[in-house]
Amino acid sequence: MHGVNSISTNPDERAALLQRLVAPVLAELEQTEAVLARQLSSRYGFIQTLVRHIERFRGKRLRPALLLLSARAFGGEAPLATEVAALVEMIHLATLCHDDILDDAATRRSVPTVNAEWGNKAAVMTGDILFSRAFEVLGGLDDARPYKQLSHTARLICEGELLQIASRFNAGLTEEDYFDLIDKKTAQLFGAATELGALLAGASEADGKKLFLYGQRLGMAFQIVDDCLDLMGVETTVGKSLGSDLKNGEPTLPLIHLLAHAETATKLDLLRLFTPGNPNLTRENLRPHLERSGAVEYALKVAHDEIQRARDEIAFLPESASKEVLHDLPHYVLARES
Amino acid sequence: MHGVNSISTNPDERAALLQRLVAPVLAELEQTEAVLARQLSSRYGFIQTLVRHIERFRGKRLRPALLLLSARAFGGEAPLATEVAALVEMIHLATLCHDDILDDAATRRSVPTVNAEWGNKAAVMTGDILFSRAFEVLGGLDDARPYKQLSHTARLICEGELLQIASRFNAGLTEEDYFDLIDKKTAQLFGAATELGALLAGASEADGKKLFLYGQRLGMAFQIVDDCLDLMGVETTVGKSLGSDLKNGEPTLPLIHLLAHAETATKLDLLRLFTPGNPNLTRENLRPHLERSGAVEYALKVAHDEIQRARDEIAFLPESASKEVLHDLPHYVLARES
């Protein structure tokens, strides 16, 4: 297998690539960072400590960057954009925080997260305060569109997370189910970010909708690649622990494709493997099957197609540095497998 | 000790009392119930199951009743009131859901809650979906005030919950800290309910503010009585398991008063008792100290004073059946100790 299996870009190179890409909105991203720092502060010491701890999730700020680039692509002034970009990131951070909640079994593994250090309840409340603070600030804006859009998106994200829990060890999960799940869990917030960026810069509703589709498709591709990496990536290269989808019994696109197209004997083997608590359910044991079946190539092809469709959605934009970045950003998403 | 110690009204009698009290808004409460049922449904089987499970919290609907009574007290039409009443209850249910999250230690005790049945994560997500669905619906209303008010309130509730976690086994917690904590955790949502009821029925901002203070003070009294019951109530009479504040090391008003006024020797005994994991930290061991010190009487006096101030806030309302209920509702709050 080419692709995921033979990752060449390391995390530093990827970070540098992203840094180059977001250059047109670097100043706004710094302002967003300042808004975020202000929102994550509290006069209560304990709350400050917990909320600050979520800085461990300090990521690529991909969603704020997408929002700001989308605004810039429409040229106009977008005074609310940096603030809304920070709030989008807060919602994302809140979901990461709740994603960290461990179930009884997992608790014993003792991961160094908020919940491991201060108990599950503190982790829940930290996520809650990020969520509620984001909605509070959104509610205070003069423009009602961001809170309408993002409170809708937040509900879809929760629904996606619940669908994911419901999908555990469901070997019958269809591609359609999976696409619905990752759309809600991931792609909708990408789409909300790019749509809001456009609208805040004065885009028409119709153009906003196109930017939504751009972000949504990019988000789908992003999640599919992420799921491929969880099965096939090299931990040191990807820069995070992998295989957790499999451990949790969450079927992702390669596995769904593999199960749907395996011969009866192989399929029975796989079904025996894909059971809760089975110590043989490892990436290593699954990999030969995945390689033989071309399931990962299939999944990456789907991601590539989504990205092509994303690019088609923004073809109408006038030429600009920002449009170019929106066109090139998918490189970053796919860099992890190029 | 009179009061909490000698509860005479049983849960059924209290329910009947509340039922009589809310008679003026019974029709609206039924509509609220229908809104709630609609909002708690989902086309996804698993989500439906989880969300339906929160019906176990099926409570007194005290907050919706307060909102509807406040609206009625201003006489005007309040078409949004039943919907907002349901959303206030959803936010309350979401916090109950997250309040149920168990820490590592507590998990082993295996309480039959969402988290025990489907894991902590499902409990978190159930709360999240209630929260986010409430804000989604609020975001879709024509009137921006409920969204603004309740997103602010939700943040304060989260802050209160975090302050409560931070207060665990803090024998130095002051009365002021405690009042701040229960104001955020409980009283603010009562105040938001009564203020929104008034505003949605056309009250002026100034009158809305008075109704807020009424609800807030009633909420303070409610929480203080609740905390007294946790220490002194009889489980079979109160109708729920008690003593959990103490087990969690959460100092409540009687304990704070006791610690602040105990003689040195007693205080040292109490400080030794009030330590994490101490098997002697029981209601039974604390009770003689509480009875000797009059700490519970003190706390109940504070609750009574809050209720008197709550009543003063609504003295300006024109006479009506609803005003009478708002005046008498505190009886219900205090019934548990009368």
Side-chain angles (χ1 to χ4, degrees):
Chain A
M1 219 210 65
H2 77 290
V4 168
N5 218 10
S6 56
I7 292 160
S8 60
T9 45
N10 68 31
D12 290 344
E13 285 171 25
R14 286 204 310 278
L17 168 60
L18 185 61
Q19 206 64 12
R20 272 201 311 283
L21 284 168
V22 301
V25 290
L26 215 53
E28 288 97 323
L29 269 174
E30 275 165 21
Q31 287 169 37
T32 295
E33 213 56 40
V35 175
L36 208 50
R38 200 170 62 240
Q39 295 301 345
L40 298 184
S41 69
S42 170
R43 68 192 172 91
Y44 297 101
F46 179 68
I47 297 182
Q48 175 81 4
T49 305
L50 283 177
V51 169
R52 274 288 160 198
H53 193 67
I54 63 112
E55 276 297 307
R56 79 188 183 286
F57 291 129
R58 161 121 211 127
K60 309 167 287 285
R61 307 294 194 222
L62 191 53
R63 292 155 194 81
L66 281 166
L67 189 150
L68 295 166
L69 286 162
S70 300
R72 184 62 74 85
F74 283 89
E77 283 293 299
L80 276 182
T82 53
E83 182 128 24
V84 176
L87 299 172
V88 165
E89 187 70 5
M90 276 172 78
I91 291 171
H92 172 58
L93 291 172
T95 64
L96 289 183
C97 216
H98 283 184
D99 212 41
D100 251 17
I101 305 301
L102 303 178
D103 289 332
D104 300 2
T107 308
R108 287 172 212 122
R109 281 184 218 117
S110 161
V111 181
T113 50
V114 170
N115 36 321
E117 286 204 50
W118 290 286
N120 269 327
K121 196 154 173 180
V124 176
M125 292 304 157
T126 306
D128 282 356
I129 209 156
L130 292 175
F131 260 131
S132 59
R133 182 81 187 122
F135 287 123
E136 181 184 27
V137 180
L138 284 164
L141 301 179
D142 287 333
D143 191 330
R145 291 172 302 178
Y147 81 70
K148 282 176 190 282
Q149 169 78 278
L150 290 172
S151 53
H152 173 62
T153 309
R155 198 260 300 168
L156 294 177
I157 295 173
C158 295
E159 214 166 89
E161 297 275 359
L162 279 170
L163 291 177
Q164 186 160 62
I165 295 174
S167 78
R168 287 185 190 159
F169 295 103
N170 176 4
L173 199 80
T174 65
E175 283 197 10
E176 202 185 335
D177 295 334
Y178 169 81
F179 290 134
D180 184 34
L181 192 164
I182 66 168
D183 174 46
K184 293 191 157 98
K185 192 183 80 159
T186 304
Q188 287 284 331
L189 189 58
F190 275 72
T194 46
E195 178 172 7
L196 282 171
L199 294 177
L200 292 174
S204 69
E205 272 192 37
D207 286 354
K209 194 74 208 149
K210 286 178 192 156
L211 267 288
F212 174 85
L213 291 173
Y214 163 82
Q216 185 187 29
R217 283 172 176 156
L218 184 63
M220 295 294 284
F222 180 86
Q223 189 59 56
I224 293 168
V225 171
D226 216 57
D227 289 348
C228 289
L229 283 169
D230 195 72
L231 287 173
M232 304 297 283
V234 179
E235 294 203 355
T236 49
T237 317
V238 180
K240 62 173 183 179
S241 66
L242 299 171
S244 61
D245 297 343
L246 201 58
K247 247 180 341 213
N248 293 333
E250 290 158 8
T252 54
L253 191 52
L255 185 60
I256 292 166
H257 184 84
L258 173 60
L259 284 166
H261 294 85
E263 285 169 30
T264 311
T266 311
K267 186 164 176 174
L268 286 175
D269 282 347
L270 290 169
L271 290 177
R272 260 190 295 271
L273 200 60
F274 194 62
T275 48
N278 187 340
N280 294 323
L281 182 60
T282 61
R283 305 196 317 149
E284 290 64 32
N285 286 338
L286 206 60
R287 208 166 292 171
H289 294 288
L290 287 169
E291 289 181 353
R292 215 173 302 129
S293 69
V296 177
E297 285 80 356
Y298 167 77
L300 291 176
K301 170 79 170 59
V302 174
H304 275 277
D305 290 351
E306 282 294 329
I307 277 176
Q308 193 44 56
R309 292 164 72 197
R311 285 176 170 151
D312 292 346
E313 295 293 347
I314 55 162
F316 79 97
L317 286 173
E319 298 309 316
S320 73
S322 305
K323 178 187 180 176
E324 215 168 291
V325 178
L326 290 173
H327 190 270
D328 290 347
L329 246 178
H331 281 313
Y332 168 76
V333 169
L334 297 176
R336 299 181 291 181
E337 61 90 25
S338 67
Chain B
M1 217 209 68
H2 78 289
V4 168
N5 217 10
S6 55
I7 292 160
S8 60
T9 44
N10 69 29
D12 289 345
E13 284 171 24
R14 286 203 310 280
L17 168 60
L18 185 61
Q19 206 64 11
R20 271 201 312 282
L21 284 168
V22 301
V25 289
L26 215 54
E28 288 98 322
L29 268 174
E30 274 166 22
Q31 285 169 39
T32 295
E33 213 56 41
V35 175
L36 208 50
R38 200 169 64 238
Q39 294 302 345
L40 298 184
S41 70
S42 170
R43 66 191 172 92
Y44 296 101
F46 180 67
I47 298 181
Q48 175 82 7
T49 305
L50 282 177
V51 169
R52 275 286 160 199
H53 193 66
I54 63 112
E55 276 296 307
R56 79 188 183 287
F57 291 128
R58 163 125 208 122
K60 309 167 286 284
R61 308 292 194 224
L62 191 53
R63 293 154 192 82
L66 281 167
L67 190 151
L68 295 167
L69 286 162
S70 301
R72 184 61 75 86
F74 283 88
E77 282 293 298
L80 277 181
T82 51
E83 181 128 26
V84 175
L87 299 171
V88 164
E89 186 71 5
M90 276 172 79
I91 291 171
H92 171 60
L93 292 172
T95 66
L96 290 183
C97 216
H98 283 184
D99 212 42
D100 251 17
I101 304 301
L102 303 178
D103 290 331
D104 300 3
T107 307
R108 288 172 212 123
R109 280 185 218 118
S110 162
V111 181
T113 50
V114 170
N115 36 323
E117 285 204 51
W118 290 286
N120 269 327
K121 199 155 173 179
V124 176
M125 292 304 157
T126 307
D128 282 356
I129 210 156
L130 292 176
F131 258 131
S132 59
R133 181 81 188 123
F135 284 113
E136 181 183 29
V137 179
L138 285 164
L141 301 178
D142 287 332
D143 191 330
R145 291 174 302 177
Y147 185 98
K148 284 173 191 282
Q149 170 78 276
L150 291 172
S151 57
H152 173 63
T153 308
R155 198 259 299 167
L156 294 177
I157 295 173
C158 295
E159 216 167 87
E161 297 274 1
L162 279 169
L163 291 177
Q164 186 160 63
I165 296 174
S167 78
R168 287 185 191 159
F169 295 105
N170 176 4
L173 199 81
T174 65
E175 283 197 11
E176 203 186 333
D177 295 335
Y178 169 80
F179 290 134
D180 183 34
L181 192 162
I182 66 169
D183 174 46
K184 293 189 157 99
K185 193 184 80 159
T186 305
Q188 288 284 331
L189 189 58
F190 276 73
T194 45
E195 178 173 6
L196 282 172
L199 294 177
L200 292 174
S204 68
E205 271 193 38
D207 286 352
K209 193 74 207 149
K210 286 179 193 159
L211 267 287
F212 175 83
L213 291 173
Y214 163 82
Q216 185 187 30
R217 285 173 173 155
L218 184 64
M220 294 295 283
F222 180 86
Q223 189 59 58
I224 292 168
V225 171
D226 215 57
D227 290 348
C228 289
L229 283 169
D230 195 72
L231 287 173
M232 304 297 282
V234 179
E235 295 204 355
T236 47
T237 318
V238 180
K240 61 175 181 177
S241 65
L242 299 170
S244 61
D245 298 343
L246 201 58
K247 250 183 335 218
N248 293 333
E250 291 159 5
T252 55
L253 192 52
L255 185 59
I256 292 167
H257 184 84
L258 173 61
L259 283 166
H261 294 84
E263 286 170 31
T264 312
T266 311
K267 186 166 176 174
L268 285 174
D269 281 349
L270 290 169
L271 290 177
R272 260 190 295 274
L273 199 60
F274 195 60
T275 47
N278 187 341
N280 294 322
L281 182 59
T282 61
R283 305 195 320 150
E284 289 65 33
N285 286 337
L286 206 61
R287 207 166 291 171
H289 295 287
L290 286 169
E291 289 183 351
R292 216 174 302 128
S293 69
V296 177
E297 285 80 358
Y298 167 77
L300 292 176
K301 169 80 170 58
V302 174
H304 274 277
D305 290 351
E306 282 293 329
I307 277 175
Q308 193 44 55
R309 292 163 72 198
R311 285 177 170 151
D312 292 345
E313 295 294 346
I314 54 162
F316 78 98
L317 287 173
E319 299 309 316
S320 73
S322 305
K323 178 185 179 178
E324 215 168 291
V325 178
L326 290 173
H327 190 270
D328 291 345
L329 245 178
H331 281 313
Y332 168 76
V333 169
L334 297 176
R336 300 181 292 181
E337 60 88 29
S338 64

